[in-house]
Amino acid sequence: MILIFTRTILIYLVVLCIMRFMGKREIGQLNLFDLVILLTIVDLLVVGIENYKSNFLLWIGAISILGILQKLIALILLKCSFFRSVIDGRESLIINKGKVVTKNMKKNNYNYDDLFVQLRLKDIKRIDEVEYAILETNGELSVFKKEDADGSFPIPLLISGSINKDALAEIGYNKQWLISKLKEKKYHDYKNLTLVLYQNDDIVICED
């Protein structure tokens, strides 16, 4: 009994340190990879505590490896937008100027029941009250009412040197159009840019 109690306390302290190392994120902000890591750590905790005759350091080592792996993947996602879109997905425009974008709803398996529930939670009665609604990568719906909208909603066309072709297609343009617009503004190598937004019928370049 004392051994199990000691193991539980020590594993708790180890996991606490690893979670701090992985970074502060709310549960609703966890991506799929973070969630898998978290669930695996929980499984290892249970097995490590129950198998009190096994080598305690093996379980601490396994949990530590998962924490380091998560940190490395997080750094890769920070630098590479392609892997970020694969793991996190991309945000989708669900309502555009009071009209539902049905193709984006189908692509995300997002039905009208889900949409109306989210709208009601934000005290919105009708779809035509909404200027823009964005389905975020964590499943949350960000809603902007028409009365609160100040110009068009900023759409990320380029992140960390990677062009978002889906976002370009939604506004009716392509990669060549974006490159030409960047050249007009004296930016000839788009891969060195951090963020380019589309807002109020023009592109906005955000630099470090």
Side-chain angles (χ1 to χ4, degrees):
M1 181 63 71
I2 295 176
L3 182 60
I4 294 177
F5 178 78
T6 304
R7 279 196 171 199
T8 302
I9 297 298
L10 289 175
I11 288 180
Y12 168 77
L13 293 174
V14 170
V15 172
L16 183 62
C17 292
I18 291 174
M19 297 303 290
R20 289 294 300 272
F21 172 74
M22 289 167 58
K24 298 179 180 178
R25 300 187 71 178
E26 295 179 5
I27 295 299
Q29 295 176 329
L30 295 177
N31 59 33
L32 181 59
F33 181 77
D34 291 333
L35 184 60
V36 170
I37 290 289
L38 185 60
L39 292 176
T40 306
I41 287 176
V42 171
D43 284 340
L44 287 174
L45 285 176
V46 173
V47 177
I49 293 172
E50 289 180 345
N51 291 271
Y52 56 88
K53 292 183 179 181
S54 61
N55 191 337
F56 179 62
L57 293 178
L58 290 177
W59 304 108
I60 292 181
I63 294 171
S64 300
I65 289 172
L66 286 174
I68 294 171
L69 177 63
Q70 189 278 340
K71 194 69 173 182
L72 289 174
I73 295 296
L75 291 174
I76 293 173
L77 295 180
L78 185 64
K79 298 294 183 180
C80 183
S81 60
F82 171 75
F83 286 108
R84 186 165 58 247
S85 65
V86 170
I87 292 179
D88 288 345
R90 293 186 183 274
E91 66 279 353
S92 295
L93 187 64
I94 299 299
I95 298 177
N96 185 16
K97 297 181 180 179
K99 296 183 179 180
V100 177
V101 185
T102 53
K103 66 175 183 178
N104 287 345
M105 290 187 65
K106 291 178 181 178
K107 184 169 64 176
N108 290 279
N109 295 320
Y110 196 72
N111 58 52
Y112 279 95
D113 288 333
D114 296 329
L115 177 60
F116 288 130
V117 167
Q118 292 287 336
L119 292 178
R120 286 196 298 270
L121 289 173
K122 299 179 186 299
D123 298 322
I124 295 174
K125 299 177 182 177
R126 303 189 313 273
I127 291 177
D128 58 11
E129 295 180 39
V130 179
E131 183 72 6
Y132 299 100
I134 313 294
L135 183 62
E136 306 293 353
T137 56
N138 63 356
E140 185 72 22
L141 189 70
S142 298
V143 178
F144 301 85
K145 295 182 180 180
K146 288 184 176 180
E147 59 196 52
D148 299 328
D150 181 17
S152 63
F153 184 84
I155 300 174
L157 301 182
L158 180 147
I159 301 175
S160 301
S162 177
I163 293 176
N164 187 344
K165 295 181 180 179
D166 292 336
L168 280 167
E170 283 194 3
I171 60 175
Y173 295 111
N174 55 29
K175 178 180 178 179
Q176 286 68 34
W177 172 86
L178 177 59
I179 292 174
S180 65
K181 293 290 288 185
L182 290 171
K183 288 181 177 179
E184 289 177 10
K185 296 180 181 290
K186 310 302 181 184
Y187 292 91
H188 297 281
D189 189 2
Y190 68 86
K191 292 183 179 180
N192 292 326
L193 294 174
T194 302
L195 180 64
V196 177
L197 303 172
Y198 179 79
Q199 188 172 15
N200 297 328
D201 300 323
D202 196 10
I203 62 171
V204 178
I205 300 169
C206 305
E207 299 182 272
D208 292 336

PDB file of all heavy atoms in Angstrom, residues 28-40:
ATOM      1  N   GLY A  28     -10.118  22.660 -24.462  1.00  0.00           N
ATOM      2  CA  GLY A  28     -10.774  22.930 -25.738  1.00  0.00           C
ATOM      3  C   GLY A  28      -9.820  23.338 -26.840  1.00  0.00           C
ATOM      4  O   GLY A  28     -10.188  23.354 -28.008  1.00  0.00           O
ATOM      5  N   GLN A  29      -8.562  23.678 -26.483  1.00  0.00           N
ATOM      6  CA  GLN A  29      -7.587  24.103 -27.470  1.00  0.00           C
ATOM      7  C   GLN A  29      -6.665  22.969 -27.896  1.00  0.00           C
ATOM      8  O   GLN A  29      -5.800  23.149 -28.739  1.00  0.00           O
ATOM      9  CB  GLN A  29      -6.742  25.250 -26.907  1.00  0.00           C
ATOM     10  CG  GLN A  29      -7.542  26.517 -26.638  1.00  0.00           C
ATOM     11  CD  GLN A  29      -6.701  27.598 -25.992  1.00  0.00           C
ATOM     12  OE1 GLN A  29      -5.772  27.309 -25.242  1.00  0.00           O
ATOM     13  NE2 GLN A  29      -7.020  28.843 -26.285  1.00  0.00           N
ATOM     14  N   LEU A  30      -6.822  21.802 -27.305  1.00  0.00           N
ATOM     15  CA  LEU A  30      -5.962  20.679 -27.651  1.00  0.00           C
ATOM     16  C   LEU A  30      -6.260  20.200 -29.067  1.00  0.00           C
ATOM     17  O   LEU A  30      -7.414  20.010 -29.442  1.00  0.00           O
ATOM     18  CB  LEU A  30      -6.174  19.523 -26.672  1.00  0.00           C
ATOM     19  CG  LEU A  30      -5.769  19.751 -25.214  1.00  0.00           C
ATOM     20  CD1 LEU A  30      -6.120  18.528 -24.387  1.00  0.00           C
ATOM     21  CD2 LEU A  30      -4.283  20.064 -25.093  1.00  0.00           C
ATOM     22  N   ASN A  31      -5.204  20.003 -29.862  1.00  0.00           N
ATOM     23  CA  ASN A  31      -5.411  19.408 -31.171  1.00  0.00           C
ATOM     24  C   ASN A  31      -5.420  17.885 -31.042  1.00  0.00           C
ATOM     25  O   ASN A  31      -5.265  17.338 -29.957  1.00  0.00           O
ATOM     26  CB  ASN A  31      -4.337  19.883 -32.168  1.00  0.00           C
ATOM     27  CG  ASN A  31      -2.929  19.535 -31.728  1.00  0.00           C
ATOM     28  OD1 ASN A  31      -2.697  18.508 -31.098  1.00  0.00           O
ATOM     29  ND2 ASN A  31      -1.966  20.391 -32.043  1.00  0.00           N
ATOM     30  N   LEU A  32      -5.598  17.214 -32.167  1.00  0.00           N
ATOM     31  CA  LEU A  32      -5.723  15.757 -32.135  1.00  0.00           C
ATOM     32  C   LEU A  32      -4.469  15.100 -31.577  1.00  0.00           C
ATOM     33  O   LEU A  32      -4.548  14.171 -30.765  1.00  0.00           O
ATOM     34  CB  LEU A  32      -6.010  15.236 -33.550  1.00  0.00           C
ATOM     35  CG  LEU A  32      -6.193  13.720 -33.699  1.00  0.00           C
ATOM     36  CD1 LEU A  32      -7.345  13.233 -32.847  1.00  0.00           C
ATOM     37  CD2 LEU A  32      -6.407  13.358 -35.160  1.00  0.00           C
ATOM     38  N   PHE A  33      -3.305  15.587 -31.981  1.00  0.00           N
ATOM     39  CA  PHE A  33      -2.048  15.002 -31.511  1.00  0.00           C
ATOM     40  C   PHE A  33      -1.886  15.194 -30.007  1.00  0.00           C
ATOM     41  O   PHE A  33      -1.494  14.275 -29.295  1.00  0.00           O
ATOM     42  CB  PHE A  33      -0.873  15.626 -32.261  1.00  0.00           C
ATOM     43  CG  PHE A  33       0.459  15.066 -31.857  1.00  0.00           C
ATOM     44  CD1 PHE A  33       0.878  13.834 -32.313  1.00  0.00           C
ATOM     45  CD2 PHE A  33       1.277  15.765 -30.997  1.00  0.00           C
ATOM     46  CE1 PHE A  33       2.093  13.301 -31.935  1.00  0.00           C
ATOM     47  CE2 PHE A  33       2.504  15.247 -30.604  1.00  0.00           C
ATOM     48  CZ  PHE A  33       2.913  14.012 -31.078  1.00  0.00           C
ATOM     49  N   ASP A  34      -2.178  16.395 -29.505  1.00  0.00           N
ATOM     50  CA  ASP A  34      -2.086  16.654 -28.067  1.00  0.00           C
ATOM     51  C   ASP A  34      -3.016  15.731 -27.285  1.00  0.00           C
ATOM     52  O   ASP A  34      -2.658  15.232 -26.213  1.00  0.00           O
ATOM     53  CB  ASP A  34      -2.454  18.115 -27.764  1.00  0.00           C
ATOM     54  CG  ASP A  34      -1.410  19.089 -28.278  1.00  0.00           C
ATOM     55  OD1 ASP A  34      -0.243  18.684 -28.382  1.00  0.00           O
ATOM     56  OD2 ASP A  34      -1.764  20.234 -28.581  1.00  0.00           O
ATOM     57  N   LEU A  35      -4.224  15.536 -27.823  1.00  0.00           N
ATOM     58  CA  LEU A  35      -5.202  14.683 -27.144  1.00  0.00           C
ATOM     59  C   LEU A  35      -4.726  13.236 -27.077  1.00  0.00           C
ATOM     60  O   LEU A  35      -4.858  12.576 -26.040  1.00  0.00           O
ATOM     61  CB  LEU A  35      -6.552  14.765 -27.866  1.00  0.00           C
ATOM     62  CG  LEU A  35      -7.711  13.998 -27.225  1.00  0.00           C
ATOM     63  CD1 LEU A  35      -7.974  14.512 -25.816  1.00  0.00           C
ATOM     64  CD2 LEU A  35      -8.963  14.119 -28.076  1.00  0.00           C
ATOM     65  N   VAL A  36      -4.144  12.741 -28.180  1.00  0.00           N
ATOM     66  CA  VAL A  36      -3.622  11.373 -28.196  1.00  0.00           C
ATOM     67  C   VAL A  36      -2.494  11.225 -27.183  1.00  0.00           C
ATOM     68  O   VAL A  36      -2.424  10.226 -26.433  1.00  0.00           O
ATOM     69  CB  VAL A  36      -3.127  11.006 -29.615  1.00  0.00           C
ATOM     70  CG1 VAL A  36      -2.367   9.681 -29.589  1.00  0.00           C
ATOM     71  CG2 VAL A  36      -4.303  10.912 -30.573  1.00  0.00           C
ATOM     72  N   ILE A  37      -1.596  12.219 -27.138  1.00  0.00           N
ATOM     73  CA  ILE A  37      -0.502  12.192 -26.167  1.00  0.00           C
ATOM     74  C   ILE A  37      -1.043  12.159 -24.740  1.00  0.00           C
ATOM     75  O   ILE A  37      -0.590  11.384 -23.888  1.00  0.00           O
ATOM     76  CB  ILE A  37       0.420  13.423 -26.355  1.00  0.00           C
ATOM     77  CG1 ILE A  37       1.211  13.305 -27.651  1.00  0.00           C
ATOM     78  CG2 ILE A  37       1.362  13.585 -25.163  1.00  0.00           C
ATOM     79  CD1 ILE A  37       2.288  12.256 -27.655  1.00  0.00           C
ATOM     80  N   LEU A  38      -2.041  13.009 -24.482  1.00  0.00           N
ATOM     81  CA  LEU A  38      -2.617  13.091 -23.138  1.00  0.00           C
ATOM     82  C   LEU A  38      -3.270  11.772 -22.730  1.00  0.00           C
ATOM     83  O   LEU A  38      -3.074  11.285 -21.603  1.00  0.00           O
ATOM     84  CB  LEU A  38      -3.640  14.230 -23.085  1.00  0.00           C
ATOM     85  CG  LEU A  38      -4.251  14.541 -21.717  1.00  0.00           C
ATOM     86  CD1 LEU A  38      -3.162  14.929 -20.730  1.00  0.00           C
ATOM     87  CD2 LEU A  38      -5.280  15.647 -21.829  1.00  0.00           C
ATOM     88  N   LEU A  39      -4.033  11.173 -23.640  1.00  0.00           N
ATOM     89  CA  LEU A  39      -4.696   9.895 -23.341  1.00  0.00           C
ATOM     90  C   LEU A  39      -3.673   8.782 -23.124  1.00  0.00           C
ATOM     91  O   LEU A  39      -3.864   7.913 -22.258  1.00  0.00           O
ATOM     92  CB  LEU A  39      -5.651   9.521 -24.481  1.00  0.00           C
ATOM     93  CG  LEU A  39      -6.880  10.420 -24.644  1.00  0.00           C
ATOM     94  CD1 LEU A  39      -7.688  10.002 -25.865  1.00  0.00           C
ATOM     95  CD2 LEU A  39      -7.755  10.370 -23.392  1.00  0.00           C
ATOM     96  N   THR A  40      -2.586   8.800 -23.911  1.00  0.00           N
ATOM     97  CA  THR A  40      -1.541   7.783 -23.752  1.00  0.00           C
ATOM     98  C   THR A  40      -0.852   7.931 -22.407  1.00  0.00           C
ATOM     99  O   THR A  40      -0.548   6.916 -21.730  1.00  0.00           O
ATOM    100  CB  THR A  40      -0.510   7.904 -24.885  1.00  0.00           C
ATOM    101  OG1 THR A  40      -1.182   7.850 -26.152  1.00  0.00           O
ATOM    102  CG2 THR A  40       0.501   6.768 -24.811  1.00  0.00           C
TER     103      THR A  40
END
